[in-house]
Amino acid sequence: MTRARTVRILLPLLALGACAPAGGGSAAPPGTEIQGERALRDLGVLAADSMQGRRVGTPGNARARAYLLGQLREMGLEPVGAGYEHPFAFTPRGGGAEARGINLLGKVTGTEDPDRYLVVSAHYDHVGVGRPAEGDSIYNGADDNASGVAALLEMARWFRANPPRSTVVFAWFDAEEAGLQGARAFVASPPVPKDSIVLNVNMDMVSRSERGELYAAGASKWPFLRPYLDEVAGRAAIRLLQGHDTPVPGPQDDWTMQSDQGPFHAAGIPFVYFGVEDHPGYHHPSDEVANVTPEFYAGAVRAIADAVRTLDRNADAIRRARAAMPVPAAAQ
């Protein structure tokens, strides 16, 4: 993540139950549950030293992408356009030679309105190898953002087994740490009609909170989203709070433009961003798998999946509410 922000996993990894259906009801059939054990395993692979911090354009970044591609093929996720890989070019911050990144996109086609889209995203790059701290120079990025990437994989698997009403595009963005470049490329040249994108749900840093608190930002910018987030918070196994979407008490407290939801918001597309508050591992070598909080992470993945399903089920109402809002709201 681009904003400025220890429990060792020795216990058995958690397996989440099925997402509670919106409005109550029975659990999903056996075998379709979101698996906490699998999400934590994916997180561990992506945050391993062998990935060398996943900096855009590096061999470690390519290894992470190859792992993700293998998972997308194994689950049978539909590609978007000609394939999963969507390359883009960008100018690094501060200038210099043109750089390249590769977004990964897959989808599950909606059962009721396949031409209506939700984009659910997480960035798979991090900051690479850097200044040593306490003898460690690999910035593994377990929470930032292997946590969101692994959660996105697990949600894609779940929606493959439980198809949504709208088409859900799952986007693993590259070069977020270089200035939200993957998300900017997606919004500048979307693979689906921009006017058909109902909203973006973005995850960045969702696995580490000793207080058990996850924030959902976006409803202050897009107020019609608040009732749906309240509904999800009421049944979540973690504390799901709303905030960090206004410049109070200071500009740094507004996360709107500080991760990949920013380009969507700037383009007038509503968003919900899920993330935790700052912790000592932010952009530090100590952001390792050993320091995530497993039980919280399991609950966070389940709550975010529930939010995506709830928003999907209310996509028509969200689209109507957005159409009734003045355009300048997107720039605020």
Side-chain angles (χ1 to χ4, degrees), residues 188-229:
S189 184
V192 299
K194 188 181 296 185
D195 291 344
S196 297
I197 300 175
V198 177
L199 80 163
N200 168 238
V201 175
N202 187 49
M203 296 172 282
D204 196 346
M205 298 174 61
V206 296
S207 68
R208 183 172 173 178
S209 175
E210 285 74 14
R211 293 184 296 183
E213 295 178 350
L214 180 72
Y215 275 87
S220 291
K221 306 294 185 184
W222 306 98
F224 49 80
L225 297 175
R226 192 174 302 280
Y228 308 120
L229 297 175

Side-chain angles (χ1 to χ4, degrees), residues 287-306:
D287 186 9
E288 297 182 322
V289 178
N291 291 324
V292 306
T293 42
E295 187 173 357
F296 167 78
Y297 182 47
V301 177
R302 183 170 54 191
I304 299 167
D306 187 20

